[in-house]
């Protein structure tokens, strides 16, 4: 009887255990082999270097830099062990004590408060398993951890884990996280900084140091306490490190969020495929790390300055600040109000915008906003009916090139990458306005005109084939002129003189000159005033040829691409060609110097360098430009809305774009010694009555008694464009509001 009962009990308890054993064995045998980890090479970021060989950023599928365990400080390793797996060096892959402890805590709290996964289990899960939450996956994770422990040493497992784990803000592994959060290599981390990184595996978004500094401090101090309890630091060290403030590399909040990095990434992915993002390549570029950051700052500052002067709403560049303002705003929806909304969804050509607990559908049109963006919504009334619209951002772009080589030194495609990653330097096609005029005047010089030659600036009507109507150009604020010199006409941006000059010289040569500079001009008289469309990069590239006395260099940005094993995939050097006559181009440069010394860009004369350039403004102040250069560097600035919309009366290139250009060149121009533009053979300077450049043999025009004298009406084109302090004393002061 006893034997029978024993048999029954054996069957009752033994069969389930046998079944469980068979299942576990099947799962174990069906798991991937950890031996694959021996040759495992994790995807590493491709590093971008600036032209001085300094790391500028990276592009990656996973931003990671693999480091061996001996390069990771002991206190960094201990911080992770204390925070994630205190018995790491004692267990066999699974920690039964931790499982029991977590079970008790979770039962007591009636919630999942604590996990029991070891470092080895986390590695197994991340490398071989899916993130699904199920009992089967949890069993596989434990079995696979045991397999890994049988195959590798504890140190190797820890090395793999510290290089693989995701630590937030796009950083995989401790080296990438150290660079992003602290701007240093992991080997240089202090104990408190190591505790910050060890705080992140639990919830990288929740404890993101950039977004939640108070929360990460609390978590850091918890990790330091665990290190104290486990004997890794002393009580004295704990007191010191737990009281230290959080010191982050705040500029890295936008790490990887850069217009130039995107430009490089688009190029290499299209040419080499996405494998280049995971192979640890080195890409050496032409960008200047310091100038790029300076350009970003001055553009952001300049856009806010213009917005404030014109009452244009402007959201903060930082996403978290915009989110804070959105949540704290008082929602009072009525005509005349402008409120911050959040785009909840994009449905075809409509935005679904959320403001508080209300939703509004608004036309998308050509606006670039996407789901999750914060925007301004303006409410207005039409026939007693409440209506609303999403307002576009006031935007800008700045690009700078080496004047001798065409190398891109700075490229900022908007005032905030976080607001809009759309790169306007490369993709935004806008009318250049008067910034196109140098091509007309160079063509005239090539046809035998001099800068002292006179042109009738009386308004004339022309047939415009683009509209099929008669068209009469007008000057800024209706200013009228008689005969003016070419130098004055360009310096003061006199529209009527420029169009009349085009009528005299014809379309063919300006179109040919434009083509040689990468600009496509149309045979319309309005082309003299910039009715074509071009990008900031294209227009700035054209001016590079002026600065280089007719030698145009194709803009380039990749110097060399090197694989992790030292192979050179690509190498580039300047591609330059003489496309314009040297002598006439040097005379044009002198005329563009006059724009700065006595014309619409006179405020740029504050820069103690030899500077030349041209302003540009389109109809209704939709676009504002300034493109200028020294003998060494050329930079272009554009400001406007993404939609063709007026910025406000008086917002001309000299009042909007030029101050940004001056801020940028106040640093960029001083990186080079003060040198004048070279004077080629065949060009002479004579007093006429101020020193002017002439092609040798044509300077006699200055000594001849001219029957027609240059006449100008009292109302000057510079009024309302140039800041009053730069105008001659006899001129009436501008009445248009200045940009502070």
């Amino acid at each position: 009887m006893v034997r029978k009962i024993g048999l029954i009990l054996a069957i009752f308890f033994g069969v389930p255990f046998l079944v469980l054993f068979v299942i576990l064995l099947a799962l174990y045998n069906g798991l991937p082999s950890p031996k694959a980890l021996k040759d495992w090479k994790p995807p590493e970021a491709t590093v971008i270097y600036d032209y001085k060989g300094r790391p500028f950023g990276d592009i990656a599928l996973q931003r990671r830099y693999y480091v061996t365990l001996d390069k990771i400080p002991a206190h960094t390793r201990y911080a992770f062990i204390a925070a994630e797996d205190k018995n790491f060096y004692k267990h066999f892959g699974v920690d039964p004590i931790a499982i029991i402890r977590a079970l008790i805590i979770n039962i007591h709290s009636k919630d999942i408060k604590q996990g029991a996964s070891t470092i080895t289990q986390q590695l197994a899960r991340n490398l071989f398993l899916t993130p699904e939450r199920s009992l089967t996956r949890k069993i596989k994770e434990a079995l696979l951890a045991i397999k890994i422990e049988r195959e590798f040493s504890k140190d190797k497992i820890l090395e793999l884990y510290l290089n693989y784990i995701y630590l937030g803000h796009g950083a995989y592994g401790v080296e990438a996280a150290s660079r992003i959060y602290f701007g240093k290599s992991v080997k240089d981390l202090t104990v408190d900084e190591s505790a910050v990184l060890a705080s992140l595996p639990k919830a990288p978004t929740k404890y993101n140091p950039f977004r939640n500094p108070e929360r990460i401090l609390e978590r850091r101090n918890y990790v330091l306490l665990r290190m104290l309890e486990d004997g890794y630091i002393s009580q004295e060290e704990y007191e010191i490190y737990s009281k230290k403030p959080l010191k982050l590399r705040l500029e890295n909040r936008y790490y990887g969020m850069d217009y130039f990095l995107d430009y490089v990434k688009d190029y290499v992915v299209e040419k080499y495929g996405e494998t280049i993002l995971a192979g640890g390549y080195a890409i050496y570029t032409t960008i200047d790390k310091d100038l790029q950051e300076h350009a970003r700052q001055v553009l952001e500052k300049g856009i806010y300055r213009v917005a404030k002067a014109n009452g244009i709403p402007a959201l903060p560049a930082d996403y978290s600040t915009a989110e804070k303002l959105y949540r704290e705003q008082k929602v009072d929806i009525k005509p005349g109000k402008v409120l911050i909304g959040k785009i909840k969804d994009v449905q075809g050509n409509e935005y679904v915008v959320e403001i508080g607990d209300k939703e509004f559908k608004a036309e998308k049109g050509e606006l670039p906003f996407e789901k999750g963006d914060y925007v301004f919504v303006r409410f207005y009334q039409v026939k007693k009916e409440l209506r609303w619209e999403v307002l576009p951002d006031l935007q800008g772009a700045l690009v700078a090139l080496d004047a001798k080589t065409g190398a891109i030194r700075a490229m900022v495609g908007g005032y905030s990458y976080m607001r809009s990653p759309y790169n306007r330097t490369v993709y935004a096609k806008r009318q250049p306005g008067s910034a196109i005029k140098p091509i007309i005047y160079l063509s005239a010089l090539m046809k035998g005109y001099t800068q002292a030659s006179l042109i009738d600036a009386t308004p004339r009507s022309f047939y415009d084939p683009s509209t099929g109507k008669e068209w009469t150009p007008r000057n800024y604020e209706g200013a009228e002129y008689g005969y003016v010199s070419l130098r004055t006409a360009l310096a003061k941006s006199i529209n009527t003189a420029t169009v009349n000059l085009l009528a005299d010289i014809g379309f063919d040569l300006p179109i040919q000159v434009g083509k040689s500079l990468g600009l496509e001009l149309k045979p319309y008289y309005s082309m003299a005033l910039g009715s074509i469309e071009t990008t900031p990069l294209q227009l700035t590239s054209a001016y590079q040829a002026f600065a280089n006395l007719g030698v145009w260099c194709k803009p380039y940005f990749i110097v060399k691409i090197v694989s992790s094993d030292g192979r050179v995939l690509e190498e580039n050097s300047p591609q330059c060609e003489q496309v314009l006559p040297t002598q006439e181009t040097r005379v044009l440069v002198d005329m563009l110097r006059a724009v700065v010394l006595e014309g619409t860009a006179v405020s740029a004369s504050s820069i103690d360098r030899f500077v030349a350039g041209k302003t540009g403004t389109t109809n209704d102040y939709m676009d504002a430009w300034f493109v200028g250069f020294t003998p060494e560097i050329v930079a272009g600035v554009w400001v406007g809305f993404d939609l063709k919309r007026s910025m406000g009366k008086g917002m001309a290139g000299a009042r909007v774009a030029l101050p940004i250009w001056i801020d940028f060149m106040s640093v960029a121009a001083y990186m080079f010694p003060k040198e004048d533009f070279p004077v080629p053979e065949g060009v002479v300077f004579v007093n006429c009555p101020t020193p002017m450049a002439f092609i040798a043999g044509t300077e006699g025009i200055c000594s001849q008694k001219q029957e027609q004298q240059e006449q100008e009406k009292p109302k000057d084109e510079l009024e309302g464009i140039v800041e009053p302090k730069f105008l001659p004393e006899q001129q009436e002061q501008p009445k248009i509001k200045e940009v502070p």
Side-chain angles (χ1 to χ4, degrees), residues 5 75-76 78 321 355 371 421 427 504 586 624 651:
I5 293 173
H75 55 254
T76 303
Y78 296 152
T321 306
I355 302 177
K371 182 178 178 180
Y427 304 116
D504 289 352
R586 182 59 182 87
M651 291 300 103

Side-chain angles (χ1 to χ4, degrees), residues 491-640:
K492 297 188 176 180
S493 203
I494 302 174
N495 293 337
T496 50
T498 307
V499 180
N500 291 348
L501 180 63
L502 176 60
D504 289 352
I505 65 175
F507 294 124
D508 291 347
L509 187 53
I511 290 175
Q512 180 183 329
V513 170
K515 185 177 181 181
S516 68
L517 299 172
L519 299 173
E520 186 179 356
L521 304 183
K522 301 292 185 182
Y524 309 143
Y525 287 104
S526 59
M527 83 172 180
L529 307 184
S531 62
I532 67 161
E533 289 191 334
T534 185
T535 68
L537 178 58
Q538 288 174 323
L539 188 61
T540 304
S541 174
Y543 275 65
Q544 176 273 320
F546 301 154
N548 205 19
L549 302 191
V551 178
W552 178 76
C553 300
K554 182 180 179 181
Y556 79 106
F557 57 101
I558 300 289
V559 176
K560 184 168 59 174
I561 301 177
V562 183
S563 68
S564 57
D565 60 3
R567 289 181 299 110
V568 177
L569 275 69
E570 177 178 331
E571 197 162 7
N572 299 297
S573 57
Q575 299 179 41
C576 302
E577 180 185 359
Q578 185 84 42
V579 297
L580 303 174
T582 305
Q583 295 173 343
E584 285 85 349
T585 305
R586 182 59 182 87
V587 175
L588 176 69
V589 169
D590 187 51
M591 295 171 70
L592 292 172
R593 285 275 294 139
V595 176
V596 172
L597 296 174
E598 59 201 60
T600 57
V602 68
S603 56
S605 61
S606 60
I607 297 176
D608 186 26
R609 290 294 185 270
F610 290 93
V611 173
K614 184 69 187 77
T615 53
T617 310
T618 59
N619 291 340
D620 298 324
Y621 308 101
M622 290 183 184
D623 302 274
W625 295 82
F626 186 76
V627 187
F629 52 89
T630 67
E632 293 84 14
I633 190 165
V634 53
V637 174
W638 166 83
V639 177

Side-chain angles (χ1 to χ4, degrees), residues 76 94 119 135 249 294 319 346 372 385 394 493 508 532 551 567 644 676 712:
T76 303
V94 178
I119 281 176
L135 179 61
R249 184 63 66 89
H294 178 58
Y319 185 89
V346 181
E385 180 184 348
L394 183 66
S493 203
D508 291 347
I532 67 161
V551 178
R567 289 181 299 110
K644 291 180 171 60
D676 199 353
E712 292 189 21

Side-chain angles (χ1 to χ4, degrees), residues 10-66:
I11 295 172
F12 182 80
F13 289 105
V15 171
F17 278 110
L18 181 62
V19 172
L20 179 61
F21 175 78
V22 171
I23 292 173
L24 291 176
L25 184 62
L27 287 173
Y28 185 85
N29 291 330
L31 291 172
S33 173
K35 291 183 179 180
L37 286 176
K38 287 184 177 179
D39 301 319
W40 175 68
K41 184 172 177 58
E44 290 190 63
T46 287
V47 181
I48 311 299
Y49 295 90
D50 82 343
Y51 86 111
K52 294 180 180 179
R54 299 173 296 181
F56 175 74
D58 54 48
I59 52 177
L61 294 175
Q62 293 182 353
R63 185 169 290 118
R64 177 188 285 107
Y65 312 97
Y66 196 95

Side-chain angles (χ1 to χ4, degrees), residues 325-569:
L325 291 174
Y326 168 73
R327 290 178 177 176
E328 293 178 352
Q329 71 179 339
K330 181 182 178 181
V331 178
D332 183 17
I333 297 172
K334 60 183 180 181
K337 283 284 186 180
V338 175
L339 299 173
I340 303 173
K342 183 176 183 178
I343 297 178
K344 185 178 180 180
D345 197 10
V346 181
Q347 299 175 352
N349 195 40
E350 281 189 328
Y351 287 128
V352 179
V353 184
E354 192 175 55
I355 302 177
D357 58 354
K358 296 180 174 61
E359 290 184 3
F360 303 88
K361 286 191 175 183
E363 183 181 357
K364 179 180 182 294
E366 296 181 13
L367 290 170
F369 303 122
E370 298 176 356
K371 182 178 178 180
D373 287 347
Y374 290 97
V375 295
F376 278 115
V377 180
R378 182 177 77 93
F379 293 89
Y380 59 99
Q381 190 170 315
V382 177
K383 295 181 180 179
K384 296 184 178 181
E385 180 184 348
L386 182 67
R387 296 187 182 180
W388 50 86
E389 65 170 337
V390 173
L391 297 178
D393 279 344
L394 183 66
Q395 277 292 354
L398 190 159
V399 61
L401 308 174
D402 185 296
K404 300 290 196 299
T405 66
I408 296 174
R409 297 298 188 215
M411 173 183 280
V412 182
Y415 85 91
S416 167
Y417 183 95
M418 293 188 74
R419 290 287 300 150
S420 170
Y422 179 63
N423 192 343
R424 293 160 186 82
T425 62
V426 180
Y427 304 116
K429 291 194 171 183
R430 308 294 296 219
Q431 291 189 352
S434 295
I436 205 70
K437 287 178 180 177
I439 290 176
I440 309 301
Y441 287 86
L442 176 60
S443 300
L445 294 173
M446 292 168 67
K447 277 186 169 282
Y449 286 74
T450 73
Q451 60 173 314
S453 300
L454 298 181
I455 186 74
D456 184 4
T458 305
R460 291 156 57 184
S461 296
F462 301 92
Y463 175 74
D464 187 350
S466 66
T467 62
K469 298 179 181 179
E470 289 286 316
W471 171 71
T472 305
R474 294 282 183 264
N475 293 317
Y476 185 86
E477 294 288 298
E480 296 179 2
Y481 301 84
Y483 279 89
V484 295
S485 68
L486 265 64
R487 180 184 178 93
T488 297
L490 182 59
K492 297 188 176 180
S493 203
I494 302 174
N495 293 337
T496 50
T498 307
V499 180
N500 291 348
L501 180 63
L502 176 60
D504 289 352
I505 65 175
F507 294 124
D508 291 347
L509 187 53
I511 290 175
Q512 180 183 329
V513 170
K515 185 177 181 181
S516 68
L517 299 172
L519 299 173
E520 186 179 356
L521 304 183
K522 301 292 185 182
Y524 309 143
Y525 287 104
S526 59
M527 83 172 180
L529 307 184
S531 62
I532 67 161
E533 289 191 334
T534 185
T535 68
L537 178 58
Q538 288 174 323
L539 188 61
T540 304
S541 174
Y543 275 65
Q544 176 273 320
F546 301 154
N548 205 19
L549 302 191
V551 178
W552 178 76
C553 300
K554 182 180 179 181
Y556 79 106
F557 57 101
I558 300 289
V559 176
K560 184 168 59 174
I561 301 177
V562 183
S563 68
S564 57
D565 60 3
R567 289 181 299 110
V568 177
L569 275 69

Side-chain angles (χ1 to χ4, degrees), residues 291-307:
L291 277 185
Q292 178 74 352
E293 176 59 21
H294 178 58
R296 186 193 66 77
Q297 291 178 6
V298 299
L299 184 62
E300 181 181 330
K301 173 185 169 186
I303 294 299
Y304 282 130
R305 181 173 58 218
V306 175

Side-chain angles (χ1 to χ4, degrees), residues 696-711:
T698 66
E699 69 275 17
I701 190 171
C702 291
S703 58
Q704 295 173 3
K705 185 177 180 180
Q706 300 181 46
E707 295 182 2
Q708 289 180 299
Q709 297 297 320
E710 183 173 333
Q711 299 291 328

